Amino acid sequence: MRHKSNTCGPIRVLISGGGTGGHIFPALSIADAVRRTYPGSEILFVGAENRMEMQRVPAAGYEIVGLPVAGFDRAHIWRNFSVLIKLWKSLRMARKVVRDFKPDIAIGVGGYASGPTLKAAQRAGVPTLLQEQNSYAGVTNKLLAAKASCICVAYPDMQRFFPADKIVMTGNPVRKAILEPGMTQEEAKEKLGFKADEPLVLVTGGSLGARTLNNAMIEAVTEGDAPRVKFQVLWQCGGADAKRCRQAVEGKLPDNVKLTDFIADMATAYCAADLVVARAGAGTISELELLGKPAILVPSPNVAEDHQRHNAQALATRGAADMVLDADASDRLWTDISTIIENPQTLRLLSENISKLALRDSDAKIVEQVEKIVGCRK
């Protein structure tokens, strides 16, 4: 299929990727920015079957096609025969999607589905834009980079992975609601049922939870006769680990600690927090930067290319966050939490330094690159 540039009016945009909120929310932000800039544009998402994008994207008002693609099992190579079959099927389906939808541009945000979709678009002559969220580029984006028109990044020195002349520093798009809670920190604490005049630590492993963070909280709440938690804590344990966490702390949870499976209103939770303890996903880090929130980052060791450690290290070396490796969390995490939350000067310094790294209006900057690629002008 030969691509024809759209010179004005609405555009047709194919957006692919997902698997985690860190991929889905930036993709939705980009789609929303396209709609704001070019009313009437047609936007189609391509995701992976049985992944969270298949629910989140339609809930946001967009159509999505699911591919049977799955990730490679690097620990058990012999299990990948079925993965290769799914990849072959996904490539065939992606070619049909591109042929039928006839996009002006295809945007890849990372995740299983973006590989076959963007590859199919490139083979059909459709220009492609990659959005790399992490400081250490993923395999899919590195493979697609040579034929991409533009690569939007959130960290410096990405020429290690991509052609320097294609890189544009845009930052990662963040949900608008996160940045505009519409209340003061004191009001946010009270809304969540906490005391307005006492410090609050938000501990979150995301919607799925993080076992390491949960173990640290369980130990802090249950170890010894005297409670170790001297401050307020909002603890999101995640649905997958909720039963274990609740059983472990049954009858021992102090009044100043609130345990929840899932936080639907992250804007209020962030607003209320004086310190955030979280994994080091790119989306989370971008939110923390834009909000200027002091943070302790515990990178997950179970991600491709160990990219969360690279993300966290990029902040830690600039004094913009405290980093505790997953293997050290049992010994260090609670000590670091206690030390930082009880030191206003440290909190202030972390807030100032992380704010300096924030890249604002990322979604609009990415749409500017879309405009340059497709030649569309309002």
Side-chain angles (χ1 to χ4, degrees):
M1 181 181 74
R2 186 176 179 181
H3 175 263
K4 294 181 180 180
S5 293
N6 188 326
T7 56
C8 63
I11 57 177
R12 301 173 67 85
V13 183
L14 191 65
I15 302 178
S16 185
T20 67
H23 290 131
I24 297 165
F25 293 128
L28 290 172
S29 295
I30 294 169
D32 290 345
V34 169
R35 276 189 170 174
R36 288 195 306 270
T37 308
Y38 306 109
S41 292
E42 294 187 49
I43 300 171
L44 177 65
F45 281 78
V46 179
E49 289 179 352
N50 303 316
R51 304 292 289 189
M52 63 190 298
E53 59 263 29
M54 300 308 294
Q55 287 76 45
R56 296 291 179 87
V57 170
Y62 294 98
E63 183 182 352
I64 186 169
V65 175
L67 303 181
V69 65
F72 281 93
D73 188 337
R74 302 183 187 196
H76 308 94
I77 301 299
W78 63 89
R79 296 180 181 174
N80 287 317
F81 180 72
S82 63
V83 174
L84 290 172
I85 293 176
K86 290 179 179 179
L87 178 60
W88 177 75
K89 289 181 179 178
S90 296
L91 283 165
R92 287 188 63 190
M93 290 177 65
R95 285 197 293 268
K96 185 177 187 304
V97 169
V98 171
R99 185 170 62 248
D100 293 347
F101 184 64
K102 298 180 176 61
D104 292 299
I105 187 169
I107 299 173
V109 298
Y112 299 144
S114 65
T117 305
L118 272 288
K119 177 60 69 175
Q122 289 178 343
R123 287 177 176 173
V126 177
T128 56
L129 180 149
L130 306 179
Q131 203 255 322
E132 176 55 61
Q133 294 136 25
N134 295 293
S135 63
Y136 194 91
V139 171
T140 300
N141 277 349
K142 285 190 283 188
L143 292 173
L144 294 167
K147 293 185 178 180
S149 299
C150 175
I151 304 162
C152 297
V153 302
Y155 292 89
D157 304 320
M158 295 302 285
Q159 62 271 19
R160 294 176 294 159
F161 310 107
F162 304 126
D165 60 337
K166 296 185 179 183
I167 295 173
V168 179
M169 180 76 82
T170 61
N172 291 322
V174 169
R175 292 166 285 175
K176 298 295 184 185
I178 291 289
L179 307 179
E180 301 169 357
M183 66 190 79
T184 65
Q185 185 177 39
E186 291 74 20
E187 290 169 342
K189 287 180 182 179
E190 290 178 345
K191 181 179 178 180
L192 294 170
F194 292 100
K195 295 178 180 178
D197 58 348
E198 294 185 9
L200 173 65
V201 178
L202 170 61
V203 179
T204 173
S207 59
L208 299 179
R211 198 173 183 89
T212 297
L213 303 187
N214 290 340
N215 287 343
M217 282 302 306
I218 290 170
E219 184 178 333
V221 169
T222 62
E223 189 178 74
D225 296 327
R228 295 170 62 187
V229 187
K230 306 295 185 183
F231 38 81
Q232 301 182 119
V233 180
L234 176 56
W235 170 20
Q236 177 181 270
C237 65
D241 206 18
K243 183 177 179 180
R244 181 183 73 94
C245 291
R246 292 189 184 282
Q247 289 177 342
V249 302
E250 188 175 1
K252 300 178 182 178
L253 200 66
D255 293 339
N256 59 334
V257 178
K258 296 185 185 299
L259 171 61
T260 182
D261 301 6
F262 178 71
I263 300 173
D265 186 1
M266 279 301 297
T268 299
Y270 273 140
C271 182
D274 295 279
L275 175 67
V276 178
V277 182
R279 289 303 200 186
T284 297
I285 288 178
S286 294
E287 291 169 351
L288 295 171
E289 290 173 344
L290 289 163
L291 294 168
K293 286 293 174 179
I296 298 175
L297 301 174
V298 186
S300 171
N302 306 311
V303 294
E305 289 86 39
D306 199 20
H307 68 252
Q308 286 203 8
R309 182 178 63 82
H310 293 282
N311 292 347
Q313 190 69 54
L315 271 67
T317 55
R318 293 168 172 81
D322 180 47
M323 181 176 75
V324 176
L325 294 179
D326 196 84
D328 300 333
S330 178
D331 296 327
R332 267 193 57 196
L333 182 57
W334 197 256
T335 299
D336 283 27
I337 292 173
S338 301
T339 300
I340 293 172
I341 195 65
E342 294 170 0
N343 191 324
Q345 185 175 354
T346 301
L347 287 170
R348 185 168 57 254
L349 186 61
L350 286 171
S351 177
E352 290 173 356
N353 289 343
I354 199 169
S355 294
K356 293 174 184 176
L357 302 179
L359 294 170
R360 303 185 185 280
D361 301 318
S362 299
D363 53 356
K365 292 175 182 175
I366 292 171
V367 172
E368 286 179 8
Q369 298 307 311
V370 170
E371 182 182 49
K372 290 178 181 179
I373 293 168
V374 303
C376 187
R377 296 291 184 270
K378 291 177 66 178

